[in-house]
Amino acid sequence: MDFKNTREFAQQLDAKDKLAKYRDEFHFPHVNGKQVIYFTGNSLGLQPKRTKAYVDEVMDDWAKLAVEGHFYADKPWWDYQERFAAPLSKIVGALPKEVTVMNTLTVNLHLLMVTFYQPTAKRFKIICEEKAFPSDQYMIQSQVKFHGYDPKDTIVEIKRREGEHNIRLEDVLAKIAEVGDELALVLMGGVNYYTGQVFDMKTITKAGQDAGAYVGWDLAHAAGNIALELHNWNVDFAAWCSYKYMNSGPGNASGAFVHEMHHNDFDLPRFSGWWGHNKERRFLMEPQFDPVRGAEGWQISNLPILSLAPYLASVEMFDEVGMPALIQKRDHITSYLEFILHEINREVNGHFEILTPSEPAERASQLSVFLHGEGRSLFEYLMKAGVITDWREPNVIRLAPVPLYCSYEDMYEFGQVLKAGILSHKK
Ligand SMILES: *Cc1c(COP(=O)(O)O)cnc(C)c1O
């Protein structure tokens, strides 16, 4: 499609957008009385207006029923998490029994590493991507040390080539082959948080497993953003947070995936608790742990219902919209934003470059812009002008044109603000 950098053209795209009505389903912050242009849904998604009713329902049940709410609330608490299995399994491409919600993301990755990182003298190395999200780096380092290994000899990072912004698939595969028999685990972000690069999870999973390793994915930037087929790709395990693209609220619960092939393998170690125990027998308080045959078998504690309620509102909205429609708009609005950025960059004689791959298959709802010259002050200018973006050192602004609530006109308007900002800085 030929795009135009005009307000009328952007408005025409909005008029044709089948998801446009969802914009009204969200609360937007305001700056100087004006609704912001929100580009940080990859950091904290906006609050859906319907969420409050889900939380109020739990508060009311608790007030009226107290402990009886576990069994007699409209949505009983004791198996509240089961409501996620169907919609969430569609979002991540899994069987319902392969997914659950529990804890928070880094905690879940730790727990899943208890199961899937069992280093031996020969096979002990972990492959991850260079510049992984800091929490993932700390998590992996601490796991390695916990098992008595030195991170220096154990963690193998896949690097970008000199002068390139993104990691090449061939380099991931070459590193897996090189580490070979020493490889215990591949654990990477499915979508890189810094550049927005989407990895070929299917190919990497197969290569890692062919080398004899387990393969897990941190899907913080992938869940609710890209098409996932965790079951068909034969992924061993995965976890994601729900507060980025999935709009469940600050620091909220995490989702976890454990492939069916591991559900009946009781030799795999795991840290257990009563909520992972056989449901029929959970309240018999027996001493012997008998895990649920499914991802729920990795649960530990009874669930924080007040934090699951907003997440449930979110997965139900995603189920209503469906990932295919979401992805279709995502690609289109991201391409429009890319077009606007190129237009503005031309008009200001090249002030920035886009780090994110230009190939649609290798990116999703994010463009990372590397600024030459003025950076931080331009970011602050945008904030004051009502455009909320995300700043990353050394000089990167991340933009997520989230398809559920961003409009094409937002993209046009942003371009105008950006141009004014760059020109005022050049003076
Ligand atoms: C956001 C993010 C996290 C955050 O983890 P929490 O445990 O939820 O604080 C971890 N890893 C990646 C890749 C992320 O993008």
Side-chain angles (χ1 to χ4, degrees):
M1 173 183 258
D2 285 337
F3 290 131
K4 289 190 195 127
N5 184 19
T6 66
R7 187 178 299 280
E8 295 68 38
F9 182 80
Q11 286 171 341
Q12 282 164 19
L13 293 180
D14 282 324
K16 279 185 266 173
D17 172 15
K18 291 193 196 81
L19 299 189
K21 64 175 195 271
Y22 280 94
R23 184 174 170 84
D24 283 340
E25 288 237 15
F26 290 86
H27 292 290
F28 283 77
H30 287 74
V31 168
N32 297 326
K34 208 171 125 257
Q35 178 170 314
V36 300
I37 296 173
Y38 197 73
F39 277 122
T40 45
N42 55 351
S43 186
L44 180 70
L46 292 178
Q47 182 185 137
K49 291 177 183 166
R50 61 172 81 174
T51 296
K52 195 163 185 302
Y54 284 68
V55 178
D56 286 347
E57 182 184 11
V58 178
M59 292 298 282
D60 290 346
D61 285 339
W62 176 26
K64 289 182 195 134
L65 300 168
V67 73
E68 298 273 83
H70 281 295
F71 295 103
Y72 300 111
D74 261 358
K75 299 183 184 117
W77 305 331
W78 85 279
D79 60 355
Y80 195 92
Q81 78 279 358
E82 287 183 13
R83 293 168 188 277
F84 289 81
L88 201 50
S89 67
K90 283 190 248 168
I91 294 167
V92 299
L95 304 176
K97 66 179 174 182
E98 289 174 324
V99 294
T100 194
V101 288
M102 56 186 191
N103 314 306
T104 45
L105 173 55
T106 310
V107 171
N108 280 340
L109 290 171
H110 271 299
L111 293 174
L112 290 164
M113 278 187 80
V114 165
T115 299
F116 294 103
Y117 181 56
Q118 289 300 312
T120 62
K122 181 155 188 319
R123 196 182 272 286
F124 60 97
K125 291 190 178 173
I126 301 176
I127 285 184
C128 62
E129 83 267 36
E130 176 190 45
K131 278 204 198 165
F133 194 83
S135 194
D136 298 35
Q137 295 185 41
Y138 309 149
M139 187 256 316
I140 293 174
Q141 288 161 15
S142 66
Q143 285 276 341
V144 164
K145 287 189 205 156
F146 176 77
H147 285 283
Y149 293 82
D150 183 344
K152 271 204 316 299
D153 322 318
T154 307
I155 302 171
V156 181
E157 289 190 348
I158 312 219
K159 309 229 181 278
R160 291 159 178 81
R161 292 190 189 186
E162 191 66 33
E164 295 188 8
H165 299 311
N166 294 289
I167 291 173
R168 293 197 195 187
L169 175 63
E170 62 197 276
D171 291 350
V172 181
L173 301 180
K175 191 58 86 180
I176 289 173
E178 183 191 313
V179 178
D181 288 350
E182 292 181 342
L183 185 62
L185 175 67
V186 177
L187 179 52
M188 293 172 56
V191 178
N192 183 264
Y193 82 99
Y194 181 70
T195 60
Q197 180 184 14
V198 176
F199 288 104
D200 180 343
M201 288 181 246
K202 180 179 177 188
T203 304
I204 295 171
T205 299
K206 176 154 192 328
Q209 290 171 343
D210 285 349
Y214 288 122
V215 181
W217 294 95
D218 178 336
L219 301 178
H221 283 262
N225 181 23
I226 67 171
L228 294 164
E229 291 185 52
L230 299 181
H231 177 83
N232 290 339
W233 296 341
N234 213 41
V235 166
D236 290 294
F237 69 95
W240 53 93
C241 53
S242 59
Y243 49 81
K244 292 174 177 165
Y245 291 98
M246 297 208 62
N247 315 317
S248 82
N252 211 353
S254 162
F257 166 91
V258 179
H259 198 282
E260 179 183 40
M261 64 186 158
H262 302 302
H263 293 180
N264 294 307
D265 182 351
F266 304 116
D267 293 334
L268 285 173
R270 64 176 112 184
F271 285 169
S272 310
W274 70 326
W275 237 248
H277 188 75
N278 181 336
K279 278 180 221 176
E280 279 72 48
R281 309 185 66 79
R282 184 173 290 157
F283 296 102
L284 301 180
M285 307 299 195
E286 299 162 322
Q288 186 60 39
F289 181 64
D290 173 22
V292 179
R293 312 303 196 251
E296 284 189 34
W298 272 261
Q299 284 178 357
I300 297 180
S301 292
N302 85 94
L303 290 149
I305 304 301
L306 279 169
S307 87
L308 293 192
Y311 193 10
L312 185 61
S314 162
V315 294
E316 291 185 353
M317 185 188 285
F318 272 78
D319 200 36
E320 205 174 281
V321 174
M323 287 307 290
L326 202 75
I327 286 167
Q328 198 180 22
K329 176 170 174 191
R330 179 202 73 190
D331 285 345
H332 197 236
I333 197 168
T334 306
S335 296
Y336 189 54
L337 174 61
E338 182 184 40
F339 164 81
I340 298 279
L341 284 168
H342 286 318
E343 288 292 295
I344 301 301
N345 207 25
R346 207 166 38 74
E347 292 172 19
V348 299
N349 296 319
H351 187 80
F352 56 80
E353 63 186 299
I354 299 176
L355 303 182
T356 310
S358 54
E359 184 58 48
E362 284 180 48
R363 71 178 188 204
S365 180
Q366 179 176 322
L367 295 178
S368 299
V369 175
F370 187 89
L371 299 156
H372 300 296
E374 300 292 346
R376 184 86 207 184
S377 58
L378 179 61
F379 162 76
E380 277 154 17
Y381 174 94
L382 293 174
M383 279 300 228
K384 287 203 191 94
V387 180
I388 303 191
T389 65
D390 173 270
W391 174 257
R392 293 287 139 160
E393 296 296 335
N395 230 17
V396 170
I397 286 179
R398 298 187 307 164
L399 305 164
V402 173
L404 268 180
Y405 48 72
C406 289
S407 70
Y408 291 88
E409 193 172 354
D410 282 347
M411 304 304 119
Y412 167 77
E413 183 72 33
F414 163 66
Q416 297 304 302
V417 176
L418 178 67
K419 183 175 165 186
I422 293 173
L423 293 178
S424 75
H425 279 83
K426 280 196 167 174
K427 268 189 254 159

